[in-house]
Amino acid sequence: MKLEIGIRVSFMLFMPIIVLVQGCTMVKISISEKRNPALQQISIGENTVLSTWGTIKVNKSHFFPSSFQLRTKDKVIYIDPVGIGTTKKADYILITHSHPDHFSMNDIEKVIQSETKIICSMGISKKLKAYNPHLRVMKPRDVLKFENLDIEATPAYNTKSVFLWIKAHPRSKENIGFILNLEGNLRIYHAGDTNYIPEMKGLKDIAVALIPIGGDNLTMDEEEAAQIVNEIGPEKVIPMHYEIKNRETLKRFESLVSPGIKVVVLD
């Protein structure tokens, strides 16, 4: 009887962790009061600008998300739009997975228009079925080809558990990252939420890599992130998915990245 009670108490104590990892129903997302009021931008090609609205608040943590806009001479592309400000309508919206710091219906509705194509992982497709026939569902290694834009879905998963056997992003969920091949063979890699995984070693000719560094068994930490960046050798790397208070994490990441690769901090 005592053993049974102990098991029940332990389960109740850790139930919030399980809910958070599996369903994220306890996570509250808002705009951080520490957000830089200026839109952060960087030119990454002759006709391509990458932008971020910056820091959001995940519960009480001030957090630089994995949310970006890409503008080319003829396209507006959003990746994991969350907490975005006033902006242009989307030609493409790409969603890596269903966690609320990556998937926001409110933000999708801000930028969607009748011609917008939504590209997402399998785990979100049911939530977006109202947007058929403009919805495209991708699994790891799938490729979609559009005019002057190829999109490759890359594997994104955890190798480490958050608690017991539970992984925040298990391989079985088939969450994804993206490689965007834009006009002029400009290749941009958005890793999604992932640890360093063997499938990354085949990545080639990446101009800009968007890489999570936050660790906590949710994504790569700064050491894993630097390892894959140094292996694939992009021209520029932009760290993402970290608490902005952790400046030492950023500094260590920068120190571990090879000198020939430019680290761009946009928080």
Side-chain angles (χ1 to χ4, degrees), residues 219-264:
T219 69
M220 290 180 273
D221 59 20
E222 69 274 22
E223 293 186 0
E224 285 183 298
Q227 182 181 355
I228 186 56
V229 167
N230 292 339
E231 287 182 7
I232 67 178
E235 297 170 18
K236 298 182 178 71
V237 58
I238 298 172
M240 63 183 187
H241 205 283
Y242 60 89
E243 288 191 59
I244 63 170
K245 69 178 182 181
N246 294 337
R247 309 316 288 181
E248 292 303 317
T249 297
L250 269 175
K251 289 179 182 178
R252 177 154 176 75
F253 173 70
E254 291 179 279
S255 73
L256 292 171
V257 170
S258 297
I261 301 169
K262 185 176 181 180
V263 179
V264 181

Side-chain angles (χ1 to χ4, degrees), residues 17-24 97-99 156-175 193-197 215-219:
I17 297 173
I18 295 170
V19 172
L20 178 62
V21 169
Q22 292 186 333
C24 288
H97 65 290
S98 63
H99 288 173
Y157 60 87
N158 287 145
T159 58
K160 303 170 185 177
S161 299
V162 176
F163 170 67
L164 296 179
W165 66 93
I166 300 168
K167 294 182 174 70
H169 310 95
R171 189 174 186 175
S172 60
K173 286 287 188 182
E174 295 190 303
N175 296 338
D193 278 5
T194 184
N195 286 115
Y196 176 92
I197 54 177
D216 289 335
N217 294 340
L218 300 173
T219 69

Side-chain angles (χ1 to χ4, degrees), residues 18-88:
I18 295 170
V19 172
L20 178 62
V21 169
Q22 292 186 333
C24 288
T25 55
M26 299 177 67
V27 177
K28 181 180 179 182
I29 306 292
S30 59
I31 303 300
S32 170
E33 58 269 26
K34 296 186 178 182
R35 169 177 284 189
N36 189 327
L39 182 68
Q40 300 299 292
Q41 297 183 317
I42 180 174
S43 294
I44 57 174
E46 185 177 349
N47 298 301
T48 304
V49 175
L50 183 142
S51 304
T52 173
W53 283 265
T55 307
I56 62 174
K57 203 169 182 179
V58 180
N59 293 340
K60 295 183 179 181
S61 297
H62 301 277
F63 181 80
F64 184 72
S66 305
S67 180
F68 297 92
Q69 180 204 70
L70 281 161
R71 284 185 289 112
T72 70
K73 63 181 180 181
D74 59 355
K75 296 179 180 66
V76 179
I77 304 166
Y78 293 87
I79 307 175
D80 287 353
V82 173
I84 64 177
T86 303
T87 187
K88 295 180 178 294

